[in-house]
Amino acid sequence: MNTPPRTLGLLAACLLAPLTVFTIGDGMGAGLRFPLVLYQDTVYGTSIIPLWREISYVTSGLIGGRSALAILLWTLGTLLLIAAACLLVVRWYEEGQRPVALLIAGAGAAFLASCVAQYGPLFHGPAGWCVPVGVPLVFAAAWFVWRGEDGEEEAEEDGEDENPSSDIF
């Protein structure tokens, strides 16, 4: 059985864990990308860039093309994770957390699409390379939430079959 505190802990882990490790170009820099923050160390210095700053770079036109698309997809994934946490809190006492699982899986797909948009389908290209190390954690969290409901349904079905009938004795 899946409890809301356990699921909320998984969502917090997804929001705090580094989801990708990347290099920029031909070794110009490297970094970690968290859902809410980008940490990069380049030849120009070390930067910690929050997601809202990256969005402002895209909206002002400072970043464009594939990089802008990657940032927008990453933002979508982060918003889906936050929406999953909010939906979990709203539906805390209700049965059925499958919509939460779908939001988490959508976030994982958006994070993966962001990596593909920036670096290509093999996660390697002229922009550098990336390893989506934390994205499997997001998909595992979605599976855990989805599977938790299957376990509840199986337990209810098994519980009906195991109850002995009073007619036998």
Side-chain angles (χ1 to χ4, degrees):
M1 183 172 155
N2 222 352
T3 61
R6 191 177 299 163
T7 304
L8 196 58
L10 274 174
L11 284 171
C14 289
L15 281 169
L16 298 175
L19 297 184
T20 60
V21 177
F22 63 90
T23 63
I24 302 169
D26 291 327
M28 284 187 60
L32 298 171
R33 185 178 263 298
F34 298 82
L36 297 171
V37 177
L38 168 69
Y39 169 81
Q40 64 183 17
D41 188 15
T42 66
V43 293
Y44 302 113
T46 302
S47 302
I48 297 176
I49 306 169
L51 186 64
W52 52 89
R53 179 72 46 92
E54 285 188 294
I55 293 169
S56 70
Y57 291 160
V58 172
T59 56
S60 69
L62 189 62
I63 296 177
R66 294 175 64 162
S67 296
L69 177 62
I71 290 170
L72 293 176
L73 287 169
W74 194 267
T75 302
L76 174 65
T78 301
L79 290 175
L80 287 174
L81 274 183
I82 292 170
C86 292
L87 184 63
L88 179 68
V89 170
V90 167
R91 297 175 53 125
W92 193 269
Y93 294 108
E94 295 179 23
E95 294 294 322
Q97 297 297 337
R98 289 226 166 134
V100 174
L102 291 174
L103 285 171
I104 297 170
F111 291 139
L112 207 55
S114 173
C115 292
V116 170
Q118 181 70 36
Y119 299 101
L122 299 177
F123 306 122
H124 182 273
W129 56 264
C130 85
V131 180
V133 292
V135 174
L137 170 70
V138 177
F139 285 119
W143 178 83
F144 179 77
V145 174
W146 186 273
R147 186 74 180 142
E149 283 203 15
D150 288 343
E152 290 172 7
E153 291 171 4
E154 291 170 5
E156 290 172 3
E157 291 172 5
D158 292 343
E160 293 173 0
D161 294 336
E162 292 178 7
N163 289 337
S165 173
S166 59
D167 297 340
I168 297 175
F169 299 106

